[in-house]
Amino acid sequence: MLVELSDDIIAKIFGFLEVNEVLQCSLVCKSWCRVARADQIWHTLCERYFSPNTLKSLITKLEENAISVSKSYCSESVSLGSEDLGFTLANRETQRGEVGDTSGSSESSTASDSPTALCGTKACCCQARKALANLIEEYGNSKSSSCSKYLLFKAFFRHFSRGSYYVSRIAKLLDNLETFCRRANLPAARTLLPGVDGICIERQTGTELPGDIYCLYRLCSGQYIPSDYSQFQGILGGYLFYDVLVDWNLYSICSGTVTSLGDRRILKIGQDLFWHNNRGSQGLFVDLETKHVIEKTQNHYVIASKDTVTYLEKYVNDLCSNHLMIDRNTKQILRFSLSATYSGHSDVVTGYIRIQATCLFVPGISRFSDNEEQDEFVFAYRIRISMLSSAPSHYIYRLEQRHWIVTDTDGHVENIRGPGVIGEHPMFRPGSVFDYASCAPLRGPVGKMKGSFTFRPLHYESDAQAAAPFSAQVGELQLNFFECYRFPPEAPERYLQLQERWEEGNNILC
């Protein structure tokens, strides 16, 4: 027996659905189409797709986009479902059209001379952005019946299309990233570009991008790096040791092209400005089929994250939680983790000497292949040595020697001894700090290292005798590729087996 449900019950059921499912239900019959327009359904969807916590940031970015870009011929990508319900079922082919007043064909000249005007839009598209910002602001301020939730979501979905699901997350991470850089007084705080229009993105890349990448560039089209680049401005951080200098920036979509890596189609989303022995640029890439964020090694690649938004969220969370280092001199964000929960971190105090150590895997100069003898997994490590301020004011120490014990994946142990560190013998007084970075190559993806530094006191005690030399310990560092990276399916079987053991929770470290 068929039971006819009331409109209220149907509306409550629709409230549990995603936007695509609501649109599909609206095609069933006229009564369902009428229910599908109810504001209570679209109010729920508005809350789900752009949360109240990110409304202010989203409004700001839309308004910035509307006034900051000009020149190039762009239009909005519009696609609508049935009976003017307003927008497409997700990921269907779209028809080209323009949003807003189609008579607005004149180009805006606003900020045409600005160095950030790398990509632009027609005036009608700027008006559409501004209109959407006004709708969202009205919704956020009042949430009253005067704001049609259905019309708001329709405008929202038209603007962001297939990337709408990611808007709240991306707006939040970009806002947190900019806020952190401003508070830390980093040059990178002033380099993020406004977003661009969808058709501009597709014309530049020549392909349809995954939803998260598409949405990212709709809100932020990359990072502007001046031609007279002289400072560390990469907003995604970097590292420096010996002749390896990396400073990651968020790659501009205006320079983006789809390239090949074997049988994979990849798009660059992040680029370093320097590299090892001038070998050329490396970068962060996204695999357009799997959505994985990848980094190239010398002869292969490794997977850094399952998708771009997850990668950026983790990075920004680490940054805002003060888990990453900031170089006090260069104002560069360093990718070395300061988190005590990270196994590649140690912090030990011996007497009045404190030694903090942290490490990271460096894909760009690592290599792995079917020939195990030629494999080299390079881990950079950074050491911070300080003398406690509580030490007696007349105490003076000189670093004399270093000793490292490095164990690789197969259990092979290497002892490394030498005078000083990086050719220096730093002196320490109460409150002194000395930072340096180096690297440890392994013949496998996991290992460990520990060691000590020998200090010679240069002060004299009350009996006029110089104190004896002593060793300050460096806590054990776990060199673990798997904490931040994954091997691709075509990696050598022995490494895939280690990866499987790690994912199952088994101890694979020496």
Side-chain angles (χ1 to χ4, degrees), residues 231-421:
Q231 300 183 68
F232 294 99
Q233 295 187 4
I235 208 160
L236 299 182
Y239 43 84
L240 166 67
F241 61 93
Y242 294 135
D243 56 352
V244 176
L245 174 61
V246 175
D247 188 32
W248 295 101
N249 68 77
L250 187 61
Y251 200 53
S252 172
I253 191 61
C254 299
S255 304
T257 56
V258 177
T259 56
S260 296
L261 179 63
D263 59 351
R264 300 183 179 279
R265 296 167 63 248
I266 60 174
L267 175 72
K268 182 179 286 188
I269 58 171
Q271 176 177 338
D272 58 58
L273 298 179
F274 307 94
W275 197 247
H276 179 60
N277 284 333
N278 297 318
R279 292 181 183 175
S281 176
Q282 292 282 357
L284 290 173
F285 299 85
V286 60
D287 185 323
L288 295 181
E289 277 69 42
T290 65
K291 297 177 62 175
H292 291 158
V293 176
I294 63 176
E295 293 187 50
K296 292 181 179 179
T297 65
Q298 288 193 36
N299 61 334
H300 219 297
Y301 71 95
V302 294
I303 300 172
S305 179
K306 65 178 182 180
D307 59 54
T308 304
V309 176
T310 303
Y311 179 88
L312 292 175
E313 282 178 334
K314 181 182 183 306
Y315 170 72
V316 173
N317 181 66
D318 287 345
L319 196 63
C320 296
S321 301
N322 295 317
H323 288 171
L324 300 181
M325 301 178 73
I326 303 295
D327 189 290
R328 294 167 296 174
N329 298 319
T330 65
K331 289 291 186 178
Q332 182 193 22
I333 301 171
L334 299 177
R335 299 302 292 259
F336 293 101
S337 176
L338 291 176
S339 173
T341 60
Y342 175 53
S343 67
H345 175 266
S346 70
D347 189 345
V348 177
V349 176
T350 305
Y352 292 109
I353 294 294
R354 180 185 184 186
I355 300 179
Q356 298 165 280
T358 183
C359 68
L360 56 81
F361 174 67
V362 184
I365 55 176
S366 299
R367 61 181 296 116
F368 60 92
S369 63
D370 292 328
N371 187 349
E372 188 174 1
E373 295 297 321
Q374 297 178 358
D375 289 357
E376 189 171 61
F377 292 78
V378 179
F379 290 84
Y381 60 87
R382 187 173 177 89
I383 306 295
R384 171 167 290 180
I385 307 172
S386 59
M387 188 171 178
L388 301 183
S389 299
S390 58
S393 59
H394 66 286
Y395 273 33
I396 304 174
Y397 292 147
R398 181 175 187 264
L399 196 157
E400 294 287 318
Q401 291 183 326
R402 68 184 185 278
H403 175 212
W404 288 108
I405 303 172
V406 181
T407 308
D408 66 18
T409 306
D410 297 326
H412 176 263
V413 179
E414 182 177 6
N415 278 270
I416 303 170
R417 300 178 185 271
V421 290

Side-chain angles (χ1 to χ4, degrees), residues 36-50:
R37 293 176 180 272
D39 259 12
Q40 66 188 80
I41 297 172
W42 298 100
H43 174 85
T44 301
L45 289 170
C46 287
E47 292 282 347
R48 191 180 303 164
Y49 277 78
F50 43 90

Side-chain angles (χ1 to χ4, degrees), residues 16 22 44 68 77 109 271 305 320 404 426 442 450 485 492 499:
F16 292 99
V22 174
T44 301
S68 299
S77 174
S109 60
Q271 176 177 338
S305 179
C320 296
W404 288 108
L442 298 181
K450 61 181 179 179
Y485 293 92
Q499 180 168 287

